[in-house]
Amino acid sequence: MSQKKELRIGIAGLGVVGGGLLKLLEGPSPRVGGGRLKVVAVSARNRSRKRDVDISAYEWFDDPVDLAAKQDIDVLVELIGGSDGPAKKAVEIALKRGAHVVTANKALLAMHGEELAALSEETGGRILFEAAVGGGMPIVKAVKESLAGSLVYALSGILNGTCNYLLSEMETSGRKYEDVLADAQRLGYAEADPTMDVGGFDAAHKICILAAIAFRARPDFAHVGIEGVEAITLDDIRLAGKLGYRIKLVAKAERIGEAVSLHVRPALLAFDHPLASIMGSLNAALVDADPVGRLTFIGRGAGAGPTASAVAADLMDLLEGRGGPAFGAPLGELAPAARAQPEERGRFYMRLIVNDRPGVIAAVSDCLAKEKISIESFLQMPAAPDAPTVPIVLTTQPCARVALDAAAKRIESLEAVAAPPRIMPIEETDAHPHFWN
Amino acid sequence: MSQKKELRIGIAGLGVVGGGLLKLLEGPSPRVGGGRLKVVAVSARNRSRKRDVDISAYEWFDDPVDLAAKQDIDVLVELIGGSDGPAKKAVEIALKRGAHVVTANKALLAMHGEELAALSEETGGRILFEAAVGGGMPIVKAVKESLAGSLVYALSGILNGTCNYLLSEMETSGRKYEDVLADAQRLGYAEADPTMDVGGFDAAHKICILAAIAFRARPDFAHVGIEGVEAITLDDIRLAGKLGYRIKLVAKAERIGEAVSLHVRPALLAFDHPLASIMGSLNAALVDADPVGRLTFIGRGAGAGPTASAVAADLMDLLEGRGGPAFGAPLGELAPAARAQPEERGRFYMRLIVNDRPGVIAAVSDCLAKEKISIESFLQMPAAPDAPTVPIVLTTQPCARVALDAAAKRIESLEAVAAPPRIMPIEETDAHPHFWN
């Protein structure tokens, strides 16, 4: 691929991001590309919808697949979304005829990344997707290119701004999940159906993509353990805080021996953990790699501006002849997805709801002792005036997750325990050990 | 430039970084490049010096300029250092014959970047330098490529690990500058002649390079205002702390209207400023750009591992046909360096050493009032038992630096004032305002 005089661009999807991109690329003095990034055609659901930008100069397509098939378009910018349907079809059509694709579609890449990378290698059409992970935070390029000289051990991040906003709001306002979510929906920070975000699926798509690049393995969405934020209570946030932790939805990919562990789930971070201070809708990522050490990236993970900026950077890569294989290396050099979920060890948080009666604490700690799990801290707060139950939280010393699950089964069967124990991992603050320096 | 089968590499300079690079590229299973990055020749001051790595398989050159001239070397890796002398000569020879250069040499790029970029454009030999700024932190590529779609307003960072280590140590240990420096020299964290680091020159080289890329202007080292950390006292650190600030050596490039302001100097950061928590030898950079918003990068700014990793990433860029013009755009598209130093406004810190006598505070505040400067906070601590003088610190409300300098002149002439006032800017915590989103 070499430098081009200009790129003829078709944009499929003119929502918030598509509109922002047009604003960035067009107008009397374009902000990027010096006029060499030329939008020639667009497609969206509704041609006549009122928009900030004038689209009358572009060829219009009702169907994004027809737009993708248009022979004189060098790059399809896919901003439709969704892992299947028209987005997938349009991307395939473009790649099949050797055109390039720039997309912000994490679901598509997580679910069909391998297939699309194969198509891209076949025809020479490239697929770039900086905007799919972390919005304007340039984490895809960093892992793909800047970390080419290091071996990644672990990658963890706050990759869903909606969840982080909800958790931040619960903590600062002291209001419960349902109320904060309803407000966020009213303000447009959360979708009417928030499942993709609050269920952890969006963050799972993103960590799946990053892990493929970082570990040089084929993307494998089925392998991601996913847990959302819906079950986090104000008690969890408050009691974890008293023990010195903040609860975050952490997306994490970790090399354990030859296997890779992939998770999205709520976790406890000590207040001095680098991700603990990421509040509101920000995104952040930590990469621990050898020999580069720990790298931290923070930025705005969504919105018209950051996302359009990331799409524009990908377009500039194509214009200037950069941009390599989809996942950083040809498919043939990627390891098959390492499906084995290695046994997890670490420190954990456990929250119990108990009927406040003598002997409960002794019974709980006995269940843990039977699995040889030592308690690190234990906290019971006074029960609310006429509340029949009271929350108890504890943190463990390092132990095997399977042992903790076994202890939790025992605890659940105690008569005084009113609900299944809630377990969350504690993320350690220190970087992975590395070998040099 | 297109993808290569392999790159034949010559390394000039086998110190800490050169040794680390050999370790990364060589050995039975190379960590990067799959055997396609081939070291064929090396040069250093002393062939027989005891080294961690075996160099007997490589052709040896006593003179790096001869190594650079060797026709079958595709890339010269320049790790000699210094803005002139053999480093410059070797880089020029390599570029002149169309070979590529990868270098960690910030002084060379800050002083002669324009000249070298011109040479590179003439012959097609590329010059990449991720390792020159921020060690393993991929800030050069981020500003050059990932921010291509945004307009940068301001870029600030902690870019010299030695200074940051010294300031962190002074704060945590309560020991004075000279003692902490002597320890750092003993431990190898500071050079025997520490001027390059503690005088602010190393950070100035780095911000000069980043500013050229970020603002699309020719690098202009003469334009950087430089002040080091040598004059910072324990009193400054302690009293700033009591007012809620930490002192850091901040390198900053800022667009003010059509002009660019470039500074390296000690500044006060509120404890919640994103750079305030960067301790020890870490590096960090904040970029405020429209429409991407604020991006934060943190990483290890020096050492064999991080620097070798950055050099290796540049080599991979060359191997895979990436890597563009030296400063992100052809010289013809770079604005001439904007030399005008715009008038500075902001909040400031002023430290005075006064003879403790009635009326001093009134006299000082009168000098400020005469220049229409309002005081934001004022702090005098009890004098040490038999100390003849006492430090007083104050912070101002936003004002023009020229007005403050005029007030400082008045204050200096007061009889009770024992030394010239020490002024440092306060860096605001919030990101630059941006236009969208």
Side-chain angles (χ1 to χ4, degrees), chain B residues 71-123:
Chain B
Q71 287 301 325
D72 66 342
I73 284 176
D74 302 313
V75 191
L76 170 73
V77 176
E78 187 272 301
L79 301 169
I80 304 166
S83 64
D84 293 271
K88 179 160 185 263
K89 242 182 232 153
V91 166
E92 284 172 345
I93 293 284
L95 289 177
K96 264 189 194 142
R97 63 177 185 82
H100 305 306
V101 170
V102 173
T103 175
N105 191 334
K106 40 248 164 198
L108 175 67
L109 288 156
M111 311 290 271
H112 306 293
E114 188 172 340
E115 202 182 321
L116 297 175
L119 199 52
S120 153
E121 286 181 22
E122 224 170 83
T123 67

Side-chain angles (χ1 to χ4, degrees), chain A residues 3-43:
Chain A
Q3 205 163 328
K4 305 248 177 186
K5 282 258 161 52
E6 63 169 48
L7 278 185
R8 293 171 61 84
I9 297 168
I11 303 178
L14 291 178
V16 176
V17 177
L21 183 64
L22 276 180
K23 220 163 121 189
L24 194 65
L25 297 180
E26 300 287 306
S29 79
R31 288 281 289 276
V32 58
R36 293 176 298 154
L37 298 176
K38 279 199 179 332
V39 180
V40 296
V42 297
S43 162

Side-chain angles (χ1 to χ4, degrees), chain A residues 92-409:
Chain A
E92 284 171 346
I93 293 284
L95 289 177
K96 264 188 194 143
R97 64 178 184 81
H100 305 306
V101 170
V102 173
T103 176
N105 191 333
K106 40 246 164 202
L108 175 67
L109 288 156
M111 311 290 271
H112 306 294
E114 187 171 341
E115 203 181 321
L116 296 174
L119 199 51
S120 154
E121 287 180 22
E122 223 170 86
T123 67
R126 301 209 158 172
I127 178 164
L128 297 182
F129 45 84
E130 183 63 70
V133 184
M137 184 174 80
I139 184 74
V140 171
K141 184 184 274 272
V143 177
K144 207 188 274 188
E145 300 175 10
S146 301
L147 284 159
S150 275
L151 191 67
V152 177
Y153 281 94
L155 199 156
S156 59
I158 293 178
L159 300 180
N160 183 274
T162 304
C163 290
N164 205 51
Y165 171 83
L166 296 174
L167 295 175
S168 297
E169 273 294 296
M170 286 172 74
E171 178 182 338
T172 52
S173 73
R175 290 180 308 145
K176 63 179 201 275
Y177 176 78
E178 293 75 13
D179 298 346
V180 170
L181 175 60
D183 270 9
Q185 286 172 315
R186 215 169 22 78
L187 295 166
Y189 299 161
E191 309 273 347
D193 175 358
T195 315
M196 261 306 193
D197 290 315
V198 302
F201 302 102
D202 173 78
H205 292 145
K206 292 167 178 168
I207 195 70
C208 170
I209 294 169
L210 288 183
I213 302 170
F215 300 139
R216 305 268 144 148
R218 293 164 192 246
D220 179 15
F221 186 67
H223 181 208
V224 190
I226 307 176
E227 205 181 307
V229 298
E230 307 98 323
I232 295 174
T233 64
L234 270 179
D235 275 339
D236 285 323
I237 289 176
R238 206 156 38 204
L239 296 171
K242 289 206 183 291
L243 295 174
Y245 298 97
R246 183 169 275 147
I247 298 175
K248 294 284 185 190
L249 187 73
V250 174
K252 186 166 182 181
E254 196 174 3
R255 194 190 288 278
I256 302 180
E258 292 302 299
V260 167
S261 146
L262 284 170
H263 278 292
V264 171
R265 57 189 177 184
L268 273 69
L269 311 177
F271 287 126
D272 65 347
H273 189 287
L275 294 178
S277 54
I278 306 302
M279 301 299 276
S281 62
L282 281 180
N283 274 205
L286 299 183
V287 188
D288 288 344
D290 178 45
V292 77
R294 171 168 281 185
L295 293 177
T296 308
F297 301 84
I298 308 170
R300 294 195 298 154
T307 313
S309 174
V311 169
D314 280 350
L315 290 171
M316 287 303 294
D317 270 1
L318 293 172
L319 183 68
E320 298 189 343
R322 294 186 297 259
F327 293 99
L331 276 182
E333 294 177 21
L334 297 182
R339 281 182 171 275
Q341 195 60 265
E343 192 191 310
E344 188 182 14
R345 279 190 65 82
R347 296 187 300 137
F348 295 91
Y349 161 99
M350 184 186 271
R351 184 244 300 156
L352 304 167
I353 306 289
V354 302
N355 300 303
D356 193 11
R357 67 178 67 153
V360 175
I361 291 179
V364 167
S365 69
D366 189 51
C367 293
L368 289 162
K370 284 207 172 98
E371 300 292 339
K372 304 202 164 38
I373 295 168
S374 301
I375 293 173
E376 190 176 73
S377 58
F378 202 109
L379 179 65
Q380 177 180 346
M381 300 291 290
D386 55 333
T389 60
V390 59
I392 293 179
V393 300
L394 60 89
T395 61
T396 70
Q397 290 189 12
C399 66
R401 173 72 188 239
V402 289
L404 187 65
D405 286 339
K409 276 244 157 70

Side-chain angles (χ1 to χ4, degrees), chain A residues 1-3 16 19-21 23-24 31-33 36 126 130 135-138 141-142 144-153 216 282 289-300 302-306 308-310 312-314 316-317 320-325 328-329 333 434-437, chain B residues 1-3 16 19-21 23-24 31-33 36 126 130 135-138 141-142 144-153 216 282 289-300 302-306 308-310 312-314 316-317 320-325 328-329 333 434-437:
Chain A
M1 221 178 107
S2 59
Q3 205 163 328
V16 176
L21 183 64
K23 220 163 121 189
L24 194 65
R31 288 281 289 276
V32 58
R36 293 176 298 154
R126 301 209 158 172
E130 183 63 70
M137 184 174 80
K141 184 184 274 272
K144 207 188 274 188
E145 300 175 10
S146 301
L147 284 159
S150 275
L151 191 67
V152 177
Y153 281 94
R216 305 268 144 148
L282 281 180
D290 178 45
V292 77
R294 171 168 281 185
L295 293 177
T296 308
F297 301 84
I298 308 170
R300 294 195 298 154
S309 174
D314 280 350
M316 287 303 294
D317 270 1
E320 298 189 343
R322 294 186 297 259
E333 294 177 21
H434 50 84
F435 302 136
W436 301 13
N437 206 260
Chain B
M1 220 179 107
S2 60
Q3 206 162 327
V16 176
L21 183 64
K23 220 162 120 188
L24 193 66
R31 287 283 290 276
V32 58
R36 293 176 299 155
R126 302 211 156 170
E130 184 63 69
M137 184 174 82
K141 184 183 275 270
K144 207 188 274 190
E145 300 176 9
S146 301
L147 284 160
S150 275
L151 192 66
V152 177
Y153 282 95
R216 304 266 143 152
L282 281 179
D290 177 46
V292 78
R294 171 169 282 185
L295 294 177
T296 308
F297 302 84
I298 308 169
R300 295 195 297 154
S309 174
D314 280 349
M316 287 303 295
D317 269 2
E320 298 189 345
R322 293 185 298 259
E333 294 177 20
H434 49 84
F435 303 134
W436 302 12
N437 207 262

Side-chain angles (χ1 to χ4, degrees), chain B residues 204-226:
Chain B
H205 292 144
K206 292 167 177 168
I207 196 71
C208 171
I209 294 169
L210 289 182
I213 302 171
F215 299 139
R216 304 266 143 152
R218 293 163 192 245
D220 179 15
F221 185 66
H223 181 207
V224 189
I226 307 175

